[in-house]
Amino acid sequence: MHHARGLLRLTNNPALVAALQQDYRSADISARQRAMLDYADKLTRDPGALRAADMQALRAAGLDDRSILDLNQTVSYFAYVNRVADGLGVTVDEYALS
């Protein structure tokens, strides 16, 4: 929820934020953004299923090797931090939600 609020502040587009929260596949985003989100979703949910074709899809969407590495590292870091926080029972402070 707190990421959605930040995205809303950045985009001022409630419809986009709502679509991304519901299912990013329904959001009005670019092919590049869709490819990045497809990769992030797969890396998060089923990393062992990633194949060379997943990298090719990113390259076809215009990402170079550095951008793919940056995407991978960002998604992986968030997954790690969220698992640490969830595993320790960390909650979001009220001030961070506003």
Side-chain angles (χ1 to χ4, degrees), residues 15-16 19-20 23-30 37:
L16 172 64
L20 289 170
D23 182 356
Y24 74 89
R25 293 167 197 88
S26 69
D28 183 20
I29 57 177
S30 70
L37 288 173

Side-chain angles (χ1 to χ4, degrees), residues 32 55 58-59 61-71:
R32 178 183 170 100
M55 301 307 114
L58 292 171
R59 288 188 183 93
L63 280 78
D64 60 13
D65 287 346
R66 174 61 190 262
S67 297
I68 293 170
L69 177 62
D70 288 346
L71 174 61

Side-chain angles (χ1 to χ4, degrees), residues 50-98:
L50 287 166
R51 302 287 181 260
D54 297 298
M55 301 307 114
Q56 287 306 101
L58 292 171
R59 288 188 183 93
L63 280 78
D64 60 13
D65 287 346
R66 174 61 190 262
S67 297
I68 293 170
L69 177 62
D70 288 346
L71 174 61
N72 175 277
Q73 295 295 292
T74 301
V75 172
S76 298
Y77 177 74
F78 272 90
Y80 167 76
V81 169
N82 286 326
R83 282 166 178 75
V84 169
D86 289 345
L88 295 173
V90 174
T91 59
V92 177
D93 290 332
E94 197 59 39
Y95 79 88
L97 295 174
S98 57

Side-chain angles (χ1 to χ4, degrees), residues 1-12 17 96-98:
M1 182 57 114
H2 115 202
H3 292 292
R5 289 182 184 155
L7 185 58
L8 182 57
R9 278 194 299 273
L10 287 172
T11 65
N12 196 30
V17 173
L97 295 174
S98 57

